[in-house]
Amino acid sequence: MNCDEFVELVTDFLEGALSEEDEQRFVGHLAECAKCERYLDQFRQTIAATGELTPDGISSDARGLLLNAFRDWSRP
Amino acid sequence: MAGARELPPDDVLVSRLREGHEETFALVLDSWSGGMMRLAMSFVSTKASAEETVQDTWLAVIKGIGGFEGRSSLKTWVYRILVNTAKARGTKESRTVPLGSLLTEEEGPTVDPSRFRGAGEPYAGHWAVGQEPQPWHLPEEQVLRGEVRGVIAEAIDELPPRLRAVLVLRDVAGYGSAEVCSLLAVSAGNQRVLLHRARALLRGKLETYLTGAHEAVAGRELA
Ligand SMILES: [Zn+2]
């Protein structure tokens, strides 16, 4: 396997979606190529960092409106 | 804004919401609205419209919680309402997100081919000298509080809609692939293609920021 093929298979590899044969080729390249090992590691770090994101929420106006709506709705 | 606060299990959440427990409502509202905003942005054209989508979704949740049957998780149920609301709104804004087959710009390499040795060179297809990934330092504090957050958030906002939808659901909201395929009506294979492309674009932006910012290396950004 070449590096340019490796970089396209990273998500399939992480998802366990590679055929057995491709997975062996992927892992074989990983064992031999420190640059692609770094690429895979950076890919994983990117995914982890994305998972740490606490996205911007809604505005405080909208939040207040929804809290009021919840209060009104649940009041008998 | 809530951080990564632990939410009680679904059955507790649902019964408290049905009882009109305001704190619980505020908790889920604060925990999920951010991810919902980003997801809504995949379907509609403006931030204001995304916010209205999220509001409409929550109003539907408030009215519908009594009838929630628990066949999926509460969050999935909320996200389903969001996707339907956002799709309807997006169609009205004639910004349809065609799901199903891949678009041409979603095919092809995710790493600039010029970073690899060309055909005919020794070791063709391997990283070219000076174009290989450079070491990173990505300390966790920097991810949680620092500029890196901003870099990632901006990169997500710049993703094409379909890529953004898949990435937000998988990597921000933490859904599994089966759920995302069902929510967005894409095949498992296409979902992986979209996800891979989105992740590769984000890695590229981080690379530019983390290595380029210090070395002032130009022209390495992914197209
Ligand atoms: Zn390699």
Side-chain angles (χ1 to χ4, degrees), chain B residues 10-154:
Chain B
D10 260 19
D11 52 343
V12 177
L13 281 182
V14 172
S15 64
R16 283 190 192 156
L17 290 175
R18 284 180 179 158
E19 288 158 14
H21 196 259
E22 286 174 33
E23 263 175 56
T24 300
F25 181 70
L27 184 66
V28 289
L29 185 65
D30 291 340
S31 300
W32 297 346
S33 291
M36 290 164 70
M37 277 291 288
R38 269 189 216 289
L39 184 57
M41 285 294 291
S42 303
F43 295 92
V44 299
S45 38
T46 64
K47 196 156 188 165
S49 187
E51 185 155 62
E52 282 175 36
T53 303
V54 173
Q55 280 193 46
D56 289 349
T57 301
W58 280 118
L59 291 172
V61 167
I62 292 169
K63 290 175 191 165
I65 188 68
F68 172 66
E69 290 173 359
R71 274 182 296 197
S72 61
S73 74
L74 179 65
K75 192 173 176 186
T76 297
W77 181 67
V78 172
Y79 267 54
R80 265 185 211 288
I81 298 174
L82 177 83
V83 168
N84 289 333
T85 309
K87 272 184 185 167
R89 209 183 171 95
T91 309
K92 253 195 288 177
E93 292 172 1
S94 56
R95 173 175 161 152
T96 44
V97 182
L99 297 157
S101 56
L102 293 174
L103 308 172
T104 44
E105 66 264 32
E106 291 165 358
E107 289 162 354
T110 58
V111 176
D112 185 347
S114 72
R115 294 184 62 173
F116 302 102
R117 295 169 196 239
E121 285 180 68
Y123 299 105
H126 289 248
W127 293 100
V129 176
Q131 292 295 317
E132 61 270 46
Q134 297 300 310
W136 277 0
H137 301 286
L138 192 54
E140 202 183 349
E141 323 78 81
Q142 213 189 339
V143 175
L144 294 174
R145 287 189 291 278
E147 283 173 50
V148 170
R149 284 179 61 92
V151 172
I152 297 174
E154 199 183 305

Side-chain angles (χ1 to χ4, degrees), chain A residues 2-4 7-8 11-12 15 17 36 38-39 42-43 45 51-52 54-56 58-59 62-63 71 73, chain B residues 2 22 30 34 38 51 55 62 109-111 124-127 133-134 138 144 149 170-171 192 196 199 203:
Chain A
N2 290 343
C3 306
D4 56 359
V7 297
E8 301 303 341
T11 293
D12 284 356
E15 304 271 292
C36 284
R38 179 177 287 158
Y39 188 87
Q42 293 179 347
F43 212 87
Q45 287 187 56
E52 295 293 341
T54 335
D56 297 337
I58 46 175
S59 68
R63 187 178 182 275
R71 197 170 299 136
W73 185 260
Chain B
E22 286 174 33
D30 291 340
R38 269 189 216 289
E51 185 155 62
Q55 280 193 46
I62 292 169
T110 58
V111 176
H126 289 248
W127 293 100
Q134 297 300 310
L138 192 54
L144 294 174
R149 284 179 61 92
R170 289 295 311 275
D171 291 347
R192 283 197 305 275
H196 183 68
R199 286 170 168 177
R203 197 210 68 91

Side-chain angles (χ1 to χ4, degrees), chain A residues 1-4 6 29-30 32-37, chain B residues 116 125-127:
Chain A
M1 183 176 292
N2 290 343
C3 306
D4 56 359
F6 181 97
H29 184 81
L30 184 63
E32 287 172 359
C33 180
K35 296 163 187 175
C36 284
E37 188 183 4
Chain B
F116 302 102
H126 289 248
W127 293 100

Side-chain angles (χ1 to χ4, degrees), chain A residues 60-73:
Chain A
S60 57
D61 282 358
R63 187 178 182 275
L65 185 147
L66 288 167
L67 288 173
N68 282 333
F70 181 77
R71 197 170 299 136
D72 291 347
W73 185 260

